[in-house]
Amino acid sequence: MKVTASSLAGSASSHVPTEWVAINWRLVQRNVRAMQHRLTKATQEGDWRRAKALQRWLTHSFSAKALAVKRVTENQGKRTAGVDQQLWDSATQKFAAIAQLKKQGYRPLPLRRVFIPKSNGKMRPLGIPTMRDRAMQALHLLALDPVLETLSDPNSYGFRRNRSTADAMSQIFLQTCRKVSATWVLDADIEGFFDNINHQWLVDNVFIDKSILSKWLKSGVIDRKQLMATTAGTPQGGIISPALANWTLNGLETQLIAHLGAKFGKSKAGKLKVGVVRYADDFVVTSGSKELLETEIRPWIEAFLAVRGLRLSSAKTKLVHIDEGFDFLGWNFRKYSGTLLIKPSKKNMKTFYEKLRKTISENIGAKQENLIRLLNPMLRGWAQYHSPVVAKEAFSTMESLLYWRLRRWAMRRHPKKNDSWIRDRYWRPTESGNRVFAADVVTKNGNKAMKELYSLPGTAILRHTKIKGGYHPYDPQWELYGETLRQERMLKNMSYRREWAKLYLDQRGLCALCGYEMNMETGWHDHHMEYRVAGGSEALGNRVLLHPNCHINVHANDLHVAKPVPV
């Protein structure tokens, strides 16, 4: 019998499904969402006994367990095994994994240590849990995140839903742009943040099952075939780690403002122009007084961190005047003759150019169209990241550097050809009279077209709309705002493909199969309801957007996807 998407998304069944493909994901997500709404309300009311009971209910539910398994088997790490070398590839393994997510008898295995390069040339250690441990972390994160969001600082932007680096940048702009704004900045850096968080503090303060958390923290790590104990810190690489990191630093903003209000009085404290903007473990503190930052705020922050086993880096933490400028999240913030300008930082530009140079050097023998396919996502992503700031000069500079790098690439391929031949071969004229690095390609319809390199100077500079500080992704009152914000930002990211933007808008940002939201983290695929090999057209009426794994599921199980009705 042919399985259809409608049969998976029909009315709620009174019994638990018996196989992975039969799970009604819309119902699963609705059940988890309803429990998270109730957990949020209990937290807001300070009813911790009810909140704890709701957390236990959520982590024991079939829906939450199924969603946890779905997450770890569909994210980027699904092909990376832990120390047990096990992966959950098949539908049978995924469904069997749901029953493994239980507290009784649970003992996490040690982490597998791997190293990835950092921007400064050093190596960053990651701890890779097993699939089961990842799923357990994802399960308990479903119960922790609503509490965390309720208690989070309003200007904390890292690893939180619908919050981004651009929101942090916009908040710094608001705190420093005017003539009467704060003029001094404490550019802070925490020394070895993830490696030094005090385990006992986490167990005592994080609102999560304490026995489970303690087991994760003490599970150990296998590095070069040797088991090493973990006595402090939370390993980078675990699904729960970002939430634990945010919980550790929550209160840095609200408690600091409360401390200043208690010491100087609320009216005077408001005139001190103190503001905290944090993204994960990176943060800046603004103030109108250098002396206040040195003698009052920095000592308070050091005491706040010390309780958690942390300390500021004496080498990297500095006090700067806004006229001198400072770097944060890849941007440089500086006032020029009283006007605040935010530009891509020199370090960020250097790192990105090195990435381009390496890609081009490693593809000296590649076809021109293949090189363009490699470079375009990199160029578009970098340009979109910097599109809300003053980046036109940086775009032009990078375009010039890239041009000469591509000239060298072409000359190495044809050492006996002159400049004129190379220019005509690789740089095609456009209607405007300019030349672009482009190649002829054959489209899906069999027609010829010109594949152009993405133009950095052609990127539009658009001011970012900052998220509201009080936004809560699990509070029903903010549901419409969050959906609208997410769709606006996704449409901006899809601006280079108007057809995708139209499909996304028609589907209200939801996957046409499972009905769950699509964003930059989940990704999306363009699916033809009548396959092209069967004569299906490229018209929008024959296409829908699906999650990548939903797309695989459609083809693997011969599912029929109906066209969503535009709203």
Side-chain angles (χ1 to χ4, degrees):
M1 180 177 130
K2 184 176 179 180
V3 181
T4 65
S6 59
S7 67
L8 299 184
S11 60
S13 175
S14 59
H15 58 83
V16 175
T18 56
E19 56 181 349
W20 183 261
V21 72
I23 296 176
N24 183 339
W25 290 111
R26 295 192 186 191
L27 179 61
V28 161
Q29 289 149 2
R30 189 162 63 245
N31 289 342
V32 171
R33 192 75 172 174
M35 287 186 277
Q36 289 178 324
H37 286 167
R38 294 178 63 180
L39 181 55
T40 297
K41 184 178 179 182
T43 307
Q44 291 171 336
E45 294 173 353
D47 190 344
W48 299 109
R49 184 175 179 179
R50 184 159 63 98
K52 188 175 181 179
L54 288 168
Q55 280 191 329
R56 186 181 184 280
W57 181 28
L58 181 60
T59 55
H60 283 70
S61 70
F62 174 85
S63 293
K65 291 179 180 180
L67 205 57
V69 173
K70 180 179 172 68
R71 173 174 179 176
V72 301
T73 55
E74 295 184 0
N75 61 14
Q76 292 183 347
K78 64 182 179 181
R79 296 292 181 188
T80 305
V83 294
D84 60 356
Q85 295 300 310
Q86 291 185 6
L87 295 174
W88 294 340
D89 293 325
S90 68
T92 303
Q93 289 174 317
K94 294 176 184 178
F95 192 79
I98 297 175
Q100 299 177 33
L101 304 186
K102 54 185 179 181
K103 180 179 178 180
Q104 185 178 4
Y106 172 66
R107 185 175 181 180
L109 293 177
L111 307 171
R112 181 167 70 89
R113 173 63 53 83
V114 297
F115 294 89
I116 60 172
K118 298 170 64 175
S119 59
N120 59 7
K122 297 181 180 180
M123 302 300 288
R124 184 190 304 276
L126 295 183
I128 308 299
T130 64
M131 293 296 292
R132 185 189 181 196
D133 294 335
R134 267 178 263 177
M136 282 292 284
Q137 290 187 14
L139 174 63
H140 284 268
L141 181 59
L142 290 172
L144 174 64
D145 207 37
V147 182
L148 177 59
E149 282 291 339
T150 305
L151 303 178
S152 288
D153 292 333
N155 291 306
S156 164
Y157 299 99
F159 305 117
R160 296 179 63 190
R161 293 185 60 177
N162 288 344
R163 284 175 164 83
S164 65
T165 53
D167 291 312
M169 175 272 295
S170 299
Q171 181 62 25
I172 295 177
F173 177 83
L174 292 174
Q175 292 178 187
T176 57
C177 66
R178 296 181 292 273
K179 290 184 179 180
V180 295
S181 296
T183 53
W184 285 94
V185 177
L186 175 65
D187 184 7
D189 183 88
I190 301 176
E191 188 174 328
F193 175 72
F194 282 94
D195 297 330
N196 296 307
I197 303 175
N198 184 280
H199 281 182
Q200 193 57 50
W201 187 92
L202 286 172
V203 173
D204 291 342
N205 290 275
V206 180
F207 196 75
I208 196 174
D209 189 299
K210 298 188 182 302
S211 63
I212 294 286
L213 176 58
S214 182
K215 288 178 181 179
W216 286 334
L217 296 175
K218 302 296 184 184
S219 63
V221 60
I222 292 182
D223 186 6
R224 299 177 182 88
K225 298 183 179 181
Q226 291 189 349
L227 177 62
M228 302 171 62
T230 47
T231 58
T234 174
Q236 299 181 66
I239 289 177
I240 200 78
S241 295
L244 297 181
N246 270 337
W247 194 289
T248 302
L249 294 181
N250 266 343
L252 183 63
E253 177 184 3
T254 53
Q255 292 179 29
L256 174 60
I257 300 301
H259 165 75
L260 294 175
K263 182 164 185 175
F264 298 103
K266 289 185 178 181
S267 59
K268 184 177 180 180
K271 300 177 181 178
L272 298 176
K273 305 173 186 176
V274 175
V276 181
V277 179
R278 179 167 66 85
Y279 190 91
D281 60 318
D282 295 323
F283 66 95
V284 296
V285 184
T286 59
S287 174
S289 167
K290 180 181 180 181
E291 182 182 1
L292 181 67
L293 287 172
E294 283 181 326
T295 61
E296 186 66 37
I297 293 177
R298 179 165 181 168
W300 185 91
I301 292 175
E302 289 174 341
F304 176 89
L305 295 176
V307 176
R308 293 154 175 78
L310 304 169
R311 64 180 181 181
L312 293 176
S313 169
S314 57
K316 297 181 180 179
T317 300
K318 54 186 178 180
L319 280 169
V320 294
H321 194 275
I322 194 63
D323 291 344
E324 178 186 349
F326 64 96
D327 290 348
F328 188 64
L329 301 176
W331 293 298
N332 179 261
F333 299 76
R334 184 178 175 183
K335 272 190 175 180
Y336 299 83
S337 302
T339 301
L340 179 68
L341 296 183
I342 306 173
K343 303 178 180 181
S345 69
K346 292 181 180 179
K347 180 181 178 181
N348 181 273
M349 291 184 64
K350 182 178 179 181
T351 301
F352 181 66
Y353 174 69
E354 180 60 24
K355 183 179 179 181
L356 294 176
R357 185 201 65 76
K358 185 178 179 181
T359 300
I360 295 171
S361 298
E362 291 176 348
N363 289 276
I364 191 67
K367 292 182 179 180
Q368 185 185 11
E369 57 265 33
N370 292 337
L371 181 61
I372 292 173
R373 287 191 180 97
L374 285 173
L375 293 176
N376 273 358
M378 298 164 56
L379 294 169
R380 186 180 294 110
W382 187 76
Q384 286 185 341
Y385 183 83
H386 293 295
S387 62
V389 303
V390 184
K392 281 294 185 182
E393 183 179 346
F395 289 164
S396 296
T397 299
M398 191 63 66
E399 183 89 350
S400 178
L401 293 171
L402 179 60
Y403 169 78
W404 288 109
R405 178 57 57 182
L406 291 172
R407 289 276 293 191
R408 290 187 62 183
W409 173 85
M411 292 173 69
R412 285 184 63 185
R413 292 164 64 89
H414 308 282
K416 296 183 180 180
K417 299 295 184 179
N418 58 34
D419 287 350
S420 178
W421 186 93
I422 288 175
R423 181 196 61 187
D424 293 338
R425 168 68 174 78
Y426 291 101
W427 278 265
R428 306 293 180 86
T430 62
E431 295 179 357
S432 63
N434 298 324
R435 286 182 174 267
V436 295
F437 190 73
D440 290 329
V441 295
V442 179
T443 65
K444 296 175 182 178
N445 296 329
N447 301 323
K448 284 189 176 181
M450 192 166 69
K451 182 76 173 179
E452 297 182 10
L453 187 70
Y454 181 84
S455 172
L456 290 174
T459 304
I461 303 298
L462 300 172
R463 184 180 287 258
H464 177 77
T465 302
K466 178 186 169 296
I467 194 170
K468 294 181 179 179
Y471 168 70
H472 195 311
Y474 300 104
D475 190 335
Q477 296 181 20
W478 289 94
E479 195 80 33
L480 179 60
Y481 172 80
E483 182 176 327
T484 304
L485 182 72
R486 175 172 53 82
Q487 290 186 14
E488 287 176 353
R489 293 185 176 181
M490 280 292 290
L491 290 173
K492 179 182 176 182
N493 288 320
M494 290 178 169
S495 59
Y496 65 97
R497 288 289 298 269
R498 293 183 180 179
E499 293 179 346
W500 283 355
K502 178 68 167 60
L503 291 172
Y504 183 86
L505 198 60
D506 288 345
Q507 296 175 207
R508 294 183 297 130
L510 306 177
C511 172
L513 181 69
C514 72
Y516 196 57
E517 67 182 43
M518 293 180 292
N519 51 41
M520 295 302 292
E521 183 179 349
T522 65
W524 62 90
H525 281 179
D526 189 347
H527 171 68
H528 293 70
M529 292 179 290
E530 183 180 356
Y531 299 162
R532 290 196 301 273
V533 295
S537 72
E538 287 287 334
L540 292 181
N542 187 47
R543 293 157 59 188
V544 290
L545 297 182
L546 304 172
H547 289 129
N549 275 79
C550 288
H551 196 197
I552 295 171
N553 190 23
V554 166
H555 286 277
N557 297 288
D558 192 24
L559 304 183
H560 171 71
V561 183
K563 186 76 174 178
V565 180
V567 176

